[in-house]
Amino acid sequence: QVQLVESGGGLVQPGGSPRLSCAASGSIDSIIATGWYRQAPGKQREMVAVITSGGSTNYADSVKDRFTISRDNAKNTGYLQMINLKPEDTAVYYCNARIAHGRFEYYAWGQGTQVTVSS
């Protein structure tokens, strides 16, 4: 069993630069990919950014040049550095990880962390 715990959310002023963290623990041989998703009120969950174990990244067009995803493989922790936040970035941000354990691969989700961009 794996737990993903996000942290770093909260109330942020427009233009702010918070960093989200996602710490994974449990039965993990390796984390194949880590992703950040978000869900705003009344909207579907959407992909924000994904990073593979090799460091390849993919971003939603709406966050390119403002968000940076990274990971520390030794710590099983992923990060999402956000800059120049806008009110439309307000959402619950979820961490997702594709995990290898033994001969299995599976996906795990964190509980989410609220990011509210408001003055």
Side-chain angles (χ1 to χ4, degrees):
Q1 195 170 1
V2 171
Q3 268 195 325
L4 300 182
V5 179
E6 300 104 332
S7 60
L11 178 62
V12 183
Q13 289 195 341
S17 304
R19 187 178 77 160
L20 305 183
S21 299
C22 172
S25 62
S27 302
I28 301 170
D29 290 341
S30 64
I31 298 178
I32 299 166
T34 301
W36 288 94
Y37 294 73
R38 67 185 181 186
Q39 187 166 18
K43 294 187 176 182
Q44 289 189 329
R45 190 174 298 189
E46 63 175 356
M47 186 275 289
V48 175
V50 176
I51 185 169
T52 68
S53 58
S56 297
T57 58
N58 188 32
Y59 294 92
D61 288 342
S62 59
V63 306
K64 278 181 182 177
D65 301 323
R66 297 189 300 123
F67 291 10
T68 302
I69 189 171
S70 62
R71 53 187 287 174
D72 184 332
N73 293 332
K75 295 181 178 179
N76 284 340
T77 299
Y79 304 96
L80 185 69
Q81 177 67 55
M82 305 183 284
I83 66 171
N84 192 23
L85 278 184
K86 305 174 183 180
E88 52 263 41
D89 294 316
T90 294
V92 178
Y93 284 72
Y94 296 91
C95 175
N96 170 270
R98 182 181 172 191
I99 293 164
H101 178 61
R103 58 189 177 92
F104 300 105
E105 290 182 9
Y106 56 95
Y107 290 89
W109 287 92
Q111 81 287 353
T113 184
Q114 176 72 46
V115 175
T116 301
V117 185
S118 175
S119 55

